[in-house]
């Protein structure tokens, strides 16, 4: 029977773990973390090296909210021949699911809303109660934190991070490798590699 490798240990893993506990036909996952020397996490097996990966481990999930970490860890898992697995909770609201485009290696957590003509790129993470309104386009490895709202016709570039409770105004563009701080209200475009914070959001520094 196929098993899933969950990469990471911590608070975010608890959310992923909860969803596995709801699936009776899913065998117990194995966690991987080479930064701690433990063998068990909440009753699940933890391994500290991937040198001798069991053949029954066929898929992976990256439990890390940092876009750059998630990208690096994904590449590591793919190099081992593992397959991406999407985690999509049953209590999200996608009323126009036939118009939504979603890539692989994505996580969408509880009570999120996805409106029509939304495109979600490879490796994206939508945490709880995220709202994506019509015609939103997310690039690869985008992280949207809890309670963030992205209004219509917004584009978010690769590897960008949107903080909890943020609001992104309609018809704006956020570039690649950007950070929008918690609770920020973005009213205009943000160019690549920039950090913006506040209400209204203002440029803080380069994201180096």
């Amino acid at each position: 029977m196929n098993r899933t490798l969950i990469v990471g240990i911590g608070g975010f893993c608890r959310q992923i773990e909860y969803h596995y506990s709801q699936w009776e036909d899913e065998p117990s996952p194995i966690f991987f973390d080479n930064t701690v020397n433990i063998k068990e996490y909440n009753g699940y097996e933890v391994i500290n090296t991937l040198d001798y990966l069991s053949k029954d481990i066929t898929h992976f999930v990256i439990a890390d909210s940092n876009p750059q970490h998630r990208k690096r860890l994904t590449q590591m898992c793919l190099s081992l021949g593992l397959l991406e697995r999407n985690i999509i909770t049953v209590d999200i609201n996608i009323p126009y699911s036939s118009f939504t485009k979603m890539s692989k290696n994505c996580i969408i957590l509880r009570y999120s809303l996805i409106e029509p003509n939304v495109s979600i790129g490879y490796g994206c993470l939508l945490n709880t109660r995220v709202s994506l309104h019509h015609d939103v386009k997310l690039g690869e490895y985008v992280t949207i934190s809890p309670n963030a709202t992205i209004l219509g016709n917004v584009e978010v570039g690769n590897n960008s991070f949107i903080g909890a409770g943020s609001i992104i105004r309609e018809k704006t563009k956020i570039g690649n490798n950007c950070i929008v701080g918690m609770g920020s209200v973005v009213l205009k475009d943000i160019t690549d590699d920039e950090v913006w914070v506040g209400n209204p959001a203002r440029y803080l520094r380069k994201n180096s």
Side-chain angles (χ1 to χ4, degrees), residues 88 92-102 114-118:
I88 303 173
I92 64 172
N93 187 359
I94 311 182
Y96 308 95
S97 58
S98 61
F99 297 98
T100 297
K101 298 178 181 178
M102 185 182 308
I114 300 176
E115 290 200 340
N117 301 321
V118 168

Side-chain angles (χ1 to χ4, degrees), residues 47-185:
I47 59 177
N48 306 121
T49 177
L50 298 178
D51 293 341
Y52 305 102
L53 200 63
S54 172
K55 291 184 178 180
D56 63 352
I57 301 176
T58 57
H59 291 73
F60 70 90
V61 172
I62 306 298
D64 192 311
S65 60
N66 182 299
Q68 296 292 347
H69 292 175
R70 206 158 61 251
K71 183 176 182 179
R72 175 179 57 81
L73 294 169
T74 292
Q75 292 169 346
M76 176 190 73
C77 289
L78 291 174
S79 71
L80 296 170
L82 301 180
L83 302 175
E84 307 97 327
R85 163 139 201 203
N86 286 354
I87 299 290
I88 303 173
T89 63
V90 297
D91 43 13
I92 64 172
N93 187 359
I94 311 182
Y96 308 95
S97 58
S98 61
F99 297 98
T100 297
K101 298 178 181 178
M102 185 182 308
S103 187
K104 297 179 180 180
N105 197 23
C106 294
I107 299 175
I108 303 179
L109 297 181
R110 308 184 73 184
Y111 311 123
S112 291
L113 168 67
I114 300 176
E115 290 200 340
N117 301 321
V118 168
S119 176
I120 300 173
Y122 185 89
C124 286
L125 164 60
L126 278 61
N127 215 310
T128 51
R129 299 187 188 277
V130 166
S131 294
L132 300 183
H133 290 257
H134 65 90
D135 301 291
V136 166
K137 182 179 180 181
L138 304 182
E140 298 183 348
Y141 299 103
V142 173
T143 293
I144 313 292
S145 299
N147 297 297
T149 297
I150 299 182
L151 300 176
N153 292 288
V154 169
E155 182 176 341
V156 181
N158 301 333
N159 312 311
S160 287
F161 181 96
I162 309 299
S166 297
I167 300 174
I168 313 299
R169 183 179 182 176
E170 67 273 8
K171 298 181 180 179
T172 55
K173 181 177 181 179
I174 296 174
N176 301 316
N177 309 305
C178 292
I179 296 175
V180 174
M182 179 175 61
S184 298
V185 178

